[in-house]
Amino acid sequence: MDLSLAPPSAAVLSFAEEVGATGPVAVLGGRTHWHVAGELDAGARLVRAPSGIVAHEPEELIVRCGAGTPVGELTEALAEHGQMSPLDPASPDATVGGVLSVGYSGVRRLRYGPVRDLLLEARYVAANGELVKAGAPVVKNVTGFDLCRLLVGSVGTLGLIGEVVLRCRPIPAATRWLLSVDADPWVTRRALFGASAVLWDGNTTWVLLEGYAADVDAEARVLSPSFTEVAGPPPLPAGVRLSLAPKALRGLSASVLGGPFVAEIGIGTVHVASGAPKVASSSNSSGDARVAMLNRELKAAFDPTGRLNPGRRP
Amino acid sequence: MSPSSPELLAELRAALAPIRVLDSPFEKVLYARDASAVGYAPPGVVCLPLTTAEVQACVRIAAAHGRPVTPRGSGTGLAGGAVPLNDPVVIVTTKMNRLVEVDEDSRTAWVEPGLLNLDLSRQVAHLGLHYAPDPSSQQTCSIGGNVASNSGGPHCLLHGCTSAHVLAIEVVLADGSVCVLGGPEPDAPGYDLRGAFVGSEGTMGIATKILVRLMPNPPTIRTLLADFASIRDASAAVSAIIGAGILPAALEMMDANCIAAVENFAHAGLPLDAAAVLLVEVEGLAAGTEIAASEIVAQCRASGARAVRVAATVEERMLLWKARKSAFGAIANIKPNYYLHDCVVPRTKLVEVMEKVVDIVESRGLIVLNVFHAGDGNLHPLIVFDRREPGVEEKVQQAGKAIIEACVAAGGVLSGEHGIGLEKRDYMALVFSAVDLEHQQRLRDVFDPARRMNPEKVLPTGSWCGELHHVPEGAWI
């Protein structure tokens, strides 16, 4: 009766063997966000997840690949068939598994949604060394509880992702970045039907338009005449990444934040240069303690001995 | 059903108001099932709270009396998820139905769980916004129920299902505590508990307030109806459209039986001699939408479409959608009972699985109508029957099981949008190993260690002890 219990690949099996069942262990990806979720305990053994594209199925809009695949390699492979999976890390050296584990979305989130919506299936190694499958290689699925979304952003503390199936999309036909030094980013966002990104540093507003060339040009005409063509987005300050309610971005300034910043309008992510912003990331006000308890109990349920990525927490 | 103790009733009536605690036999049978034929169990008592505090009170009183809790929205579910098993206190959220607050900067809104899906879109329409997931039951299903089921709908092809549109959820947990999972900020601290809760079918708590994402209304919409002489051609067109790099907002198929049933009901001018029609919708800015629409026309013609009609007016478009979304009601003209399935297969397997489905059903002398989300590979075979015919229910049940097995064999899953509930609980081992299921159980147990919330749903009982490949007869009732 095990009709769809497709066996895991040899690469994933050997990854599980390498992770084993005992001792502190962590996955080494592209090392692009190695320090974001706390410092890894010095004694942890480092392993690498399998790398490489297993299968890209353009008609299904899905791709299966090893979690250790560099995003740059994935992007190139998908582009051969006119598709993409908008993980959008800052560096193409980041691995697919690393981006998912850290859970940071790229600047095109306004159009494509967060990275957590891209993961359709994950094969991960549990704390006891067993292989677990979450989700399935189909684009729509409510079969059982959503362990995939739980894994995204869990910084490898619940299970170590070995192989994934990601949702793909067609690459937009046209792409234009524009900037203005005197436009109001809020007015700009409202004026547009479907910007892929609206970025703001307190003075300058950048807009990314994607889609059919005729649509992109039509949207560009809606923008105030002060907008001019630019090659790409500004460099994103890499000091601190704040996560704020989108409306809290009104009134942000470099002096409040303690340094230069780029804010994602409509999303709430703020990239700040300095290490000590005076604005804290917002958090749940009611039931904070209960949520913290759920987080602790979840970690204990999935990794009772705390061997997975010790020292880190989401 | 055992009568509820006088103490339990008295405490609930003191906490809510006597009129919002129901226990008469007539009232209780109204809450004995959902919109499917799966399961029937009149509950001991039904509560209709108005506030989060009242929900908390109901949960705490139930716990003190050792009774489980079954949350319920509008009762439009199709997998038996709201069937009150183990004599629970049923907590119905339909009276908590306010749109609490809209934030235009964020394009989000806080809503209460009983707010109806379509009412939400209507109430934000003046802002040029709407709520994207649109189950066919959207006139009657609630946002809280949508969260429990991670509901889909035709337009989820482009925009994603409920989870992609829910940013935060205020929940009452099994211990009566209240907390907010997720938040208005893009990356709430900690694990994605919000993501874990969406689609948990009432087994992890009760949503009492939900922060939803709203989408701008598209300036241009084009709706096309393509007429095919075979399901094979129509399926080829689905693959051709996706393969051409077009992601329509919706891409739906109806077969000849379904066309006949809905045309008789909706009078939308559907071609009665077609073997299949595709209903395709593209939306966005004017120029791109026209380009996509002409490309879809070309792809349909190249795949053998006999005719492609583009809805010329808003009224014509609405009529086509009325036809699509009324498939359910239309079948009453054929037979009094139905069993609606919900499986997903890879798009490229549509033809193969559709042929199997028709064969499985017709070889048993039954009638099947197919109306489904072809773009997602999400099949909805609808078997119609008359319960009074001797032996028919067994045949329907056997056919259902064979359909599920055919979908799974093609690399598919048990459910695309209706959920597992009671209906498919005992089929979970077809797609997940004992270890996979045990991990899902761990997640549930973190939220509800005593398994008091909506007991006996989603996960097969005994999933932790390896008794997995036993699929009992009678899962479908």
Side-chain angles (χ1 to χ4, degrees), chain B residues 7 11 25 83 85 89 98 106 142 158-159 163 179 195 232 273 293 324 366 380 450 467:
Chain B
E7 294 79 15
E11 286 175 40
V83 175
L85 297 180
V89 170
R98 292 177 311 139
S106 312
S142 67
L158 179 62
H159 298 300
S163 187
C179 57
R232 186 169 289 273
D273 59 342
R324 163 62 186 88
L366 298 167
H380 285 317
E467 295 166 4

Side-chain angles (χ1 to χ4, degrees), chain A residues 60 124 133 157 215 250 284 295, chain B residues 105 182 191 288 347-348 439:
Chain A
E60 302 291 348
Y124 64 93
K133 183 185 74 170
T157 58
D215 284 348
R250 281 187 186 272
N284 303 313
N295 273 279
Chain B
D105 273 352
Y191 297 113
R347 282 182 200 95
T348 44
H439 271 233

Side-chain angles (χ1 to χ4, degrees), chain A residues 264-292:
Chain A
E264 298 181 20
I265 301 298
I267 298 294
T269 302
V270 186
H271 308 266
V272 190
S274 89
K278 294 167 202 162
V279 179
S281 278
S282 51
S283 63
N284 303 313
S285 50
S286 76
D288 260 357
R290 190 68 182 87
V291 170

Side-chain angles (χ1 to χ4, degrees), chain B residues 120-441:
Chain B
L120 168 54
S121 286
R122 284 184 179 139
Q123 290 183 33
V124 297
H126 67 286
L127 302 170
L129 301 171
H130 71 286
Y131 179 67
D134 60 337
S136 292
S137 56
Q138 70 184 129
Q139 297 190 32
T140 46
C141 65
S142 67
I143 299 296
N146 292 170
V147 168
S149 306
N150 193 8
S151 303
H155 288 79
C156 292
L157 177 59
L158 179 62
H159 298 300
C161 295
T162 300
S163 187
H165 298 273
V166 168
L167 303 176
I169 317 165
E170 178 191 85
V171 300
V172 173
L173 299 173
D175 62 3
S177 60
V178 181
C179 57
V180 178
L181 312 177
E185 66 274 40
D187 301 300
Y191 297 113
D192 185 10
L193 302 173
R194 171 214 65 85
F197 188 90
V198 177
S200 63
E201 304 194 31
T203 65
M204 296 185 194
I206 305 181
T208 48
K209 210 162 69 164
I210 300 140
L211 182 65
V212 297
R213 189 159 78 106
L214 301 171
M215 311 280 290
N217 294 338
T220 310
I221 301 173
R222 283 288 170 270
T223 307
L224 301 88
L225 185 78
D227 162 344
F228 293 88
S230 76
I231 289 174
R232 186 169 289 273
D233 289 350
S235 299
V238 171
S239 288
I241 291 166
I242 303 283
I246 300 167
L247 199 51
L251 179 43
E252 306 281 306
M253 195 189 298
M254 286 187 269
D255 72 359
N257 280 351
C258 185
I259 294 166
V262 302
E263 183 56 22
N264 188 27
F265 178 87
H267 309 294
L270 301 179
L272 289 167
D273 59 342
V277 294
L278 287 183
L279 183 61
V280 194
E281 189 157 282
V282 279
E283 60 176 48
L285 296 161
T289 302
E290 298 303 348
I291 294 168
S294 8
E295 179 71 9
I296 289 166
V297 171
Q299 293 294 344
C300 285
R301 293 226 163 98
S303 302
R306 302 188 305 180
V308 187
R309 166 179 146 199
V310 182
T313 62
V314 174
E315 291 71 28
E316 190 180 355
R317 171 176 173 260
M318 297 311 286
L319 192 57
L320 288 172
W321 277 111
K322 183 185 168 196
R324 163 62 186 88
K325 293 193 176 181
S326 67
F328 224 30
I331 54 111
N333 288 329
I334 309 172
K335 296 271 183 182
N337 306 108
Y338 60 81
Y339 185 14
L340 177 64
H341 280 270
D342 169 43
C343 294
V344 183
V345 297
R347 282 182 200 95
T348 44
K349 298 284 179 65
L350 276 176
V351 174
E352 175 192 325
V353 176
M354 286 280 293
E355 285 172 355
K356 273 190 192 155
V357 166
V358 171
D359 184 53
I360 285 166
V361 179
E362 292 184 348
S363 68
R364 289 172 171 82
L366 298 167
I367 300 172
V368 64
L369 288 72
N370 280 292
V371 47
F372 61 97
H373 313 304
D376 295 314
N378 188 184
L379 297 174
H380 285 317
L382 179 60
I383 303 176
V384 292
F385 62 100
D386 185 341
R387 174 168 278 152
R388 294 164 299 187
E389 292 170 20
V392 73
E393 290 191 79
E394 288 69 29
K395 284 189 205 162
V396 171
Q397 186 185 329
Q398 288 162 6
K401 185 165 178 249
I403 288 171
I404 289 169
E405 286 171 355
C407 290
V408 172
V413 293
L414 303 180
S415 176
E417 56 184 12
H418 295 172
I420 299 302
L422 188 56
E423 181 200 11
K424 289 174 173 164
R425 180 193 68 188
D426 295 318
Y427 293 111
M428 285 286 275
L430 291 177
V431 289
F432 289 116
S433 73
V435 173
D436 302 338
L437 290 173
E438 194 258 347
H439 271 233
Q440 293 188 30
Q441 184 75 63

